Structures are given as C-alpha cells and as structure tokens.
Amino acid sequence: MIKLIALDIDGTLVKRRNVVSKKNIKAIKEARKKGIKICIATGRNISRAKNIAKAIGLDSAQEFLISLNGGATFKYNENAEPIMVEEHLFELEDFKFIYDVAKENKLSCFSYAKDPNIAYILKRDLFTYVLKKFSHRKLIKYNRETVKDTSYKIVVYGKPKGISTLKNKLKDKEFEMFSWSYVPHSSNVEINPKGVDKLYSLQNVAKSYGIKAEEIMYFGDSDNDQKALQWAGQGIAMGNSKKHLKEIATDSTKTNKKHGVGYWIQKTILV
C-alpha cells in the first residue's frame, strides 16, 4: 500500500511555463484524501519551488519539500510557511577545490550559496545570466582568498572536454554528480556534497513518517532521480525520461506534457 508519493518538478510534475496541470493537481489531492502523504524532491531552490508546492497543496497539508537535490529540506508549518529542517553544504575547502578546477578548465560555475541572495560565479555569460534570472540571486565573482561562504549545490557548464576533466579530478572526493537536465549532458554537471542527494533526504522524510521504502511511489525523469527511482517500492519514470532510467524504474508513465503523474496516480491508486 502506497503511503507517500514523492515528485520531481521539472520534466515530471510541470510542463511548459512552470504550470502544474489540473489533471495532476486533482489526482494528487485525491490521493491525499486517501491518507497518502505528498513530497516534492527537486533540484530547484526553495524560491522556485514554493509556487509549485502551493499549487498541489503541500503548504496547507504541512508536508515536506526537498530542494537543491537534497541540499535543503523544508517542512511547512501550521501557517503554511516552509521551515528548514535539514541542510547540507560543501566544506569551504571542497567548495574552493571545485571552483579552482573549474577555473583551470575555463568552465562556468553557478553556486546556490547558503545566503539565498547570492551566487558565486567565475565569469558572466549566458549560462550565469539565465540562472541569475531564474534564481534572483546577485552574482558574486569567486575569489579564493576572500570567499568565506559556501553552498548547497554547484552547477558547472562548458566544453565537454573540460567537464570530463573536472569529473575525473573530483572523482576521489566522491561528490554526488548529476547531468543537468536542460542542456546536453556532456557539457554540464550538477555537484552536491558527498552523500547528499534526493534519495538521502527522501529516506529521512520517510523515516520521520515511519514509512517504508516499499510504501513509496517516486516520479522522476532525470539523472538526479535515478537512486530514488531504484530505491522506492514503485519508481515511476516519466515517458520523457531517458531509456536507462526507464530500464531501472519499476514502471513508466506518460510524458509530463500528457499529465503522466496524474494519469498514473489515477490508474493505480484512485481506482
């Protein structure tokens, strides 16, 4: 019996224009009426996930929101406010190491700093401009000698050869690394601290509820969903997922544009 449904956002819960479809919202709310808990697990920052959480009633139901690939987990309180219950940041020296290697390979970086108003970058370009627009963070030029803040997650973008070199040099650090969803996989990587990913935080959420892995249904479409898809009792890959994710998932549903989340909940839970 499913007791918790966990949902990725981009490529899963929403389609274009950052909108959750009425079909998805209806199915999620009907599942909640059956006593099933709902949780969001996203790579987004909390500021870009709050509207989605509100659309599916996460705030009023006082449920959990996992952000930044597990970097920060929030639980809504009785006033429908997201309260941080867990956070995981890079050690400062690890943060500097990543930026130093990226700089050596002429890559572009954008970090989600502990200070929600800033992001550290190596250079201003289209990549950092787009992320600035989405995150509403002020861009701060990285300076190894003066930086004191650290971050939850770092996104790196550049030429495939440079990204490959970066990944090889970071391998021994055992950071969690995922291909970023929005551009060709060989030219980007998302980096989280060692052991920090969506699965780690989802396991903590499940533990707080006293819910077992086999009682969880997880929906996702990207590399940062892979471990959670494999761990959950029912890992459901979206129809728009890559082939390797569909192969490791329990099953697959329709695409995000065809309301795959709502379709599957209706088909398997609300019957």
Side-chain angles (χ1 to χ4, degrees), residues 82-96:
I83 306 301
M84 184 183 287
V85 295
E86 187 176 356
E87 67 176 353
H88 304 279
L89 297 115
F90 285 102
E91 295 292 333
L92 185 56
E93 286 307 309
D94 285 338
F95 176 78
K96 289 180 178 181

Side-chain angles (χ1 to χ4, degrees), residues 12-28:
T12 300
L13 186 56
V14 302
K15 51 181 182 178
R16 288 182 300 174
R17 294 188 293 274
N18 202 34
V19 174
V20 186
S21 72
K22 291 180 180 179
K23 290 184 179 180
N24 282 347
I25 292 172
K26 182 180 179 181
I28 289 167

Side-chain angles (χ1 to χ4, degrees), residues 36 80 109 151 165 167 200 216 225 263:
I36 297 172
C109 287
S151 299
T165 300
K167 288 180 178 179
Y200 174 82
I216 297 173
D225 299 306
Y263 166 79

Side-chain angles (χ1 to χ4, degrees), residues 158-194:
K159 293 183 178 180
K161 183 177 179 180
I163 293 293
S164 178
T165 300
L166 174 82
K167 288 180 178 179
N168 286 332
K169 288 194 174 183
L170 299 187
K171 193 176 295 183
D172 289 344
K173 294 282 189 176
E174 299 182 327
F175 299 131
E176 302 301 326
M177 293 188 279
F178 318 99
S179 294
W180 199 43
S181 305
Y182 310 104
V183 290
H185 286 195
S186 62
S187 61
N188 73 93
V189 63
E190 285 185 303
I191 310 169
N192 279 79
K194 179 181 178 180

Side-chain angles (χ1 to χ4, degrees), residues 37-63:
K37 300 292 186 183
I38 309 297
C39 171
I40 282 177
T42 180
R44 292 188 183 195
N45 194 16
I46 181 67
S47 63
R48 291 195 62 235
K50 286 192 293 186
N51 287 344
I52 306 301
K54 185 175 182 179
I56 63 172
L58 218 68
D59 54 348
S60 57
Q62 299 179 39
E63 293 166 327

Side-chain angles (χ1 to χ4, degrees), residues 87-203:
E87 67 176 353
H88 304 279
L89 297 115
F90 285 102
E91 295 292 333
L92 185 56
E93 286 307 309
D94 285 338
F95 176 78
K96 289 180 178 181
F97 180 75
I98 294 168
Y99 267 65
D100 290 346
V101 175
K103 188 175 182 179
E104 289 171 7
N105 289 277
K106 300 180 180 179
L107 299 170
S108 186
C109 287
F110 185 100
S111 71
Y112 289 83
K114 182 175 175 63
D115 182 338
N117 299 307
I118 66 173
Y120 290 102
I121 64 168
L122 289 171
K123 56 185 177 181
R124 292 178 182 270
D125 53 16
L126 180 60
F127 167 73
T128 55
Y129 170 79
V130 170
L131 287 185
K132 177 182 184 295
K133 184 178 179 180
F134 281 134
S135 67
H136 306 292
R137 289 172 178 249
K138 180 181 177 181
L139 302 182
I140 304 293
K141 189 76 176 290
Y142 168 73
N143 184 318
R144 191 179 213 286
E145 304 307 317
T146 60
V147 65
K148 295 180 180 179
D149 197 8
T150 185
S151 299
Y152 299 102
K153 181 181 84 167
I154 300 168
V155 187
V156 187
Y157 176 80
K159 293 183 178 180
K161 183 177 179 180
I163 293 293
S164 178
T165 300
L166 174 82
K167 288 180 178 179
N168 286 332
K169 288 194 174 183
L170 299 187
K171 193 176 295 183
D172 289 344
K173 294 282 189 176
E174 299 182 327
F175 299 131
E176 302 301 326
M177 293 188 279
F178 318 99
S179 294
W180 199 43
S181 305
Y182 310 104
V183 290
H185 286 195
S186 62
S187 61
N188 73 93
V189 63
E190 285 185 303
I191 310 169
N192 279 79
K194 179 181 178 180
V196 178
D197 56 16
K198 291 184 181 183
L199 173 57
Y200 174 82
S201 295
L202 179 60
Q203 288 173 328

